[in-house]
Amino acid sequence: MAYADQQMSGNKITALVIVALIHVFVGYALVTGLAYEAAKKVINKVTTVDIKEPEEPKEEPPPPPPKEETPPPPIVAPPPPINIAPAPPPVQTVITPPPPPPVVIPTAAPPPPPPPPPPSKARGASPKRMSSWAGRIQANYPTRAAREGREGRVGVRVTINTDGRVSSCSVTSSSGSPDLDEAACEGMERYARFDPALNDAGNPTTGTYSTAIVYRLN
């Protein structure tokens, strides 16, 4: 390989030297007036020299590597027989449907409570100008009781009409003198005046009243 390279380099140098000499010759010929045709023939003859480079020797391919011996396949023991048990009978699953939801019967809403009753206007009978008629009853002192000097306290209960007058009288506590007891009831029926009792609506109604008449000598 190295020898071929050296030979190729020598040929190239020789060709370059020849070409240089030809150029020198041509230049000289042109200067000295040599015939142009002679120089042209020489140049064509020289320049058409075909220098073939020697072919490089082909490298032989390396020998193939030796084949490796493949080991024999391993000995595999046959698998033991597998006992396949029969499948168990299918289990039947009974799905019980859920019970239906309880039926809710809507109940009617209770009625609203009645409105509270209006405040009651009821009141009992009350004396009207009591000091004036009580003095008149005491001034009508029974004559016999006054002559005998008898005094006493008479408790009475009277019934009052819607016009405020006494309609009846009863003795609840006797003075011990019948004439004083009788005079007390007669004076109440004759002189006593009241504001009548009222019911819940505020209308006059019959009522009662209890009091005492005192008989005392000066």
Side-chain angles (χ1 to χ4, degrees):
M1 187 72 182
Y3 175 77
D5 291 338
Q6 290 178 1
Q7 187 178 3
M8 185 186 303
S9 300
N11 293 333
K12 287 181 179 181
I13 293 170
T14 303
L16 291 174
V17 171
I18 294 171
V19 170
L21 292 175
I22 291 172
H23 282 80
V24 170
F25 177 76
V26 170
Y28 179 77
L30 290 174
V31 173
T32 57
L34 293 177
Y36 175 74
E37 291 295 333
K40 184 178 180 180
K41 288 181 180 180
V42 174
I43 292 172
N44 288 335
K45 185 180 292 186
V46 175
T47 55
T48 54
V49 176
D50 188 8
I51 301 173
K52 293 183 179 181
E53 296 181 358
E55 296 181 357
E56 297 180 359
K58 296 181 179 181
E59 295 182 358
E60 295 181 0
K67 295 183 179 181
E68 296 181 358
E69 295 182 359
T70 57
I75 299 173
V76 179
I82 300 173
N83 294 328
I84 301 175
V91 178
Q92 295 181 356
T93 304
V94 178
I95 300 175
T96 304
V103 178
V104 179
I105 301 175
T107 57
S120 176
K121 298 180 180 180
R123 63 178 175 85
S126 59
K128 182 188 293 185
R129 296 184 299 273
M130 184 177 181
S131 59
S132 62
W133 54 259
R136 295 180 69 181
I137 294 173
Q138 291 171 350
N140 192 17
Y141 209 102
T143 304
R144 185 177 177 179
R147 186 171 61 247
E148 294 176 357
R150 287 183 282 111
E151 297 178 347
R153 181 180 183 276
V154 183
V156 295
R157 180 183 179 87
V158 295
T159 300
I160 304 165
N161 291 332
T162 57
D163 58 359
R165 297 177 68 91
V166 176
S167 61
S168 64
C169 177
S170 62
V171 176
T172 58
S173 178
S174 176
S175 64
S177 299
D179 50 352
L180 293 177
D181 295 345
E182 185 178 353
C185 277
E186 288 178 358
M188 290 293 294
E189 292 174 356
R190 186 176 180 180
Y191 302 112
R193 296 294 182 269
F194 292 86
D195 290 325
L198 301 178
N199 58 15
D200 292 338
N203 300 320
T205 184
T206 302
T208 61
Y209 186 79
S210 298
T211 187
I213 305 298
V214 178
Y215 290 98
R216 183 173 300 167
L217 297 172
N218 294 330

Short mmCIF file of all heavy atoms in Angstrom, two decimals, residues 5 36 40 46 59 95 102 117 130 178 190-191 197 216:
data_model
loop_
_atom_site.label_atom_id
_atom_site.label_comp_id
_atom_site.label_asym_id
_atom_site.label_seq_id
_atom_site.Cartn_x
_atom_site.Cartn_y
_atom_site.Cartn_z
N ASP A 5 1.49 4.28 -3.03
CA ASP A 5 1.34 5.71 -2.79
C ASP A 5 2.57 6.46 -3.23
O ASP A 5 2.48 7.56 -3.83
CB ASP A 5 1.07 5.98 -1.30
CG ASP A 5 -0.31 5.45 -0.88
OD1 ASP A 5 -1.17 5.29 -1.77
OD2 ASP A 5 -0.54 5.23 0.36
N TYR A 36 3.40 29.21 -34.25
CA TYR A 36 2.32 28.92 -33.28
C TYR A 36 1.78 27.51 -33.47
O TYR A 36 1.46 26.83 -32.50
CB TYR A 36 1.20 29.94 -33.45
CG TYR A 36 0.00 29.67 -32.58
CD1 TYR A 36 0.04 29.90 -31.20
CD2 TYR A 36 -1.17 29.15 -33.14
CE1 TYR A 36 -1.04 29.65 -30.43
CE2 TYR A 36 -2.24 28.90 -32.35
CZ TYR A 36 -2.20 29.15 -30.97
OH TYR A 36 -3.28 28.90 -30.22
N LYS A 40 1.45 24.48 -30.71
CA LYS A 40 0.11 23.96 -30.39
C LYS A 40 0.11 22.45 -30.46
O LYS A 40 -0.48 21.77 -29.64
CB LYS A 40 -0.90 24.56 -31.35
CG LYS A 40 -2.33 24.16 -31.06
CD LYS A 40 -3.27 24.85 -32.04
CE LYS A 40 -4.70 24.47 -31.76
NZ LYS A 40 -5.64 25.11 -32.70
N VAL A 46 1.32 16.81 -25.43
CA VAL A 46 1.78 16.62 -24.05
C VAL A 46 0.62 16.63 -23.09
O VAL A 46 0.54 15.84 -22.17
CB VAL A 46 2.83 17.69 -23.71
CG1 VAL A 46 3.22 17.60 -22.25
CG2 VAL A 46 4.03 17.54 -24.59
N GLU A 59 -9.45 -5.32 -0.39
CA GLU A 59 -9.25 -6.06 0.86
C GLU A 59 -10.19 -7.23 0.91
O GLU A 59 -11.37 -7.14 0.54
CB GLU A 59 -9.52 -5.14 2.06
CG GLU A 59 -8.54 -4.00 2.17
CD GLU A 59 -8.81 -3.15 3.40
OE1 GLU A 59 -9.81 -3.47 4.11
OE2 GLU A 59 -8.06 -2.20 3.66
N ILE A 95 -84.47 -12.66 46.28
CA ILE A 95 -84.50 -11.23 46.67
C ILE A 95 -85.92 -10.87 47.08
O ILE A 95 -86.85 -10.97 46.27
CB ILE A 95 -84.02 -10.34 45.52
CG1 ILE A 95 -82.57 -10.73 45.13
CG2 ILE A 95 -84.10 -8.87 45.90
CD1 ILE A 95 -82.06 -9.99 43.93
N PRO A 102 -95.06 3.32 54.18
CA PRO A 102 -96.34 3.53 54.85
C PRO A 102 -97.12 4.67 54.22
O PRO A 102 -96.55 5.66 53.78
CB PRO A 102 -95.93 3.86 56.30
CG PRO A 102 -94.53 4.38 56.18
CD PRO A 102 -93.92 3.62 55.04
N PRO A 117 -112.71 36.06 74.26
CA PRO A 117 -113.91 36.89 74.46
C PRO A 117 -113.52 38.30 74.89
O PRO A 117 -112.46 38.52 75.50
CB PRO A 117 -114.67 36.15 75.57
CG PRO A 117 -113.62 35.39 76.31
CD PRO A 117 -112.60 35.01 75.28
N MET A 130 -125.24 57.43 99.17
CA MET A 130 -125.64 56.62 100.32
C MET A 130 -125.79 57.46 101.60
O MET A 130 -126.67 57.21 102.43
CB MET A 130 -124.62 55.50 100.54
CG MET A 130 -124.98 54.54 101.65
SD MET A 130 -123.75 53.22 101.77
CE MET A 130 -124.44 52.25 103.10
N PRO A 178 -138.14 43.72 116.98
CA PRO A 178 -138.82 43.54 115.69
C PRO A 178 -139.18 44.86 115.04
O PRO A 178 -139.11 44.96 113.79
CB PRO A 178 -140.07 42.75 116.07
CG PRO A 178 -139.71 42.05 117.33
CD PRO A 178 -138.79 42.99 118.06
N ARG A 190 -137.89 52.38 100.65
CA ARG A 190 -138.45 53.69 100.38
C ARG A 190 -137.40 54.72 99.96
O ARG A 190 -137.64 55.51 99.03
CB ARG A 190 -139.18 54.19 101.62
CG ARG A 190 -139.93 55.50 101.42
CD ARG A 190 -140.70 55.85 102.68
NE ARG A 190 -141.42 57.12 102.50
CZ ARG A 190 -142.19 57.67 103.46
NH1 ARG A 190 -142.33 57.07 104.65
NH2 ARG A 190 -142.82 58.81 103.23
N TYR A 191 -136.26 54.71 100.58
CA TYR A 191 -135.29 55.79 100.36
C TYR A 191 -134.00 55.37 99.59
O TYR A 191 -133.33 56.24 98.99
CB TYR A 191 -134.87 56.40 101.69
CG TYR A 191 -136.01 56.94 102.50
CD1 TYR A 191 -136.38 56.34 103.69
CD2 TYR A 191 -136.69 58.07 102.08
CE1 TYR A 191 -137.44 56.86 104.44
CE2 TYR A 191 -137.76 58.59 102.84
CZ TYR A 191 -138.11 57.98 104.01
OH TYR A 191 -139.16 58.48 104.75
N ALA A 197 -126.79 46.74 88.76
CA ALA A 197 -125.73 45.81 88.32
C ALA A 197 -125.73 45.69 86.79
O ALA A 197 -126.74 45.93 86.13
CB ALA A 197 -125.94 44.45 88.97
N ARG A 216 -129.39 54.52 116.80
CA ARG A 216 -128.74 54.95 118.05
C ARG A 216 -129.41 56.29 118.47
O ARG A 216 -129.56 57.18 117.64
CB ARG A 216 -127.26 55.11 117.84
CG ARG A 216 -126.51 55.49 119.11
CD ARG A 216 -125.02 55.46 118.86
NE ARG A 216 -124.58 54.12 118.45
CZ ARG A 216 -123.39 53.82 117.94
NH1 ARG A 216 -122.54 54.81 117.69
NH2 ARG A 216 -123.09 52.59 117.66
#
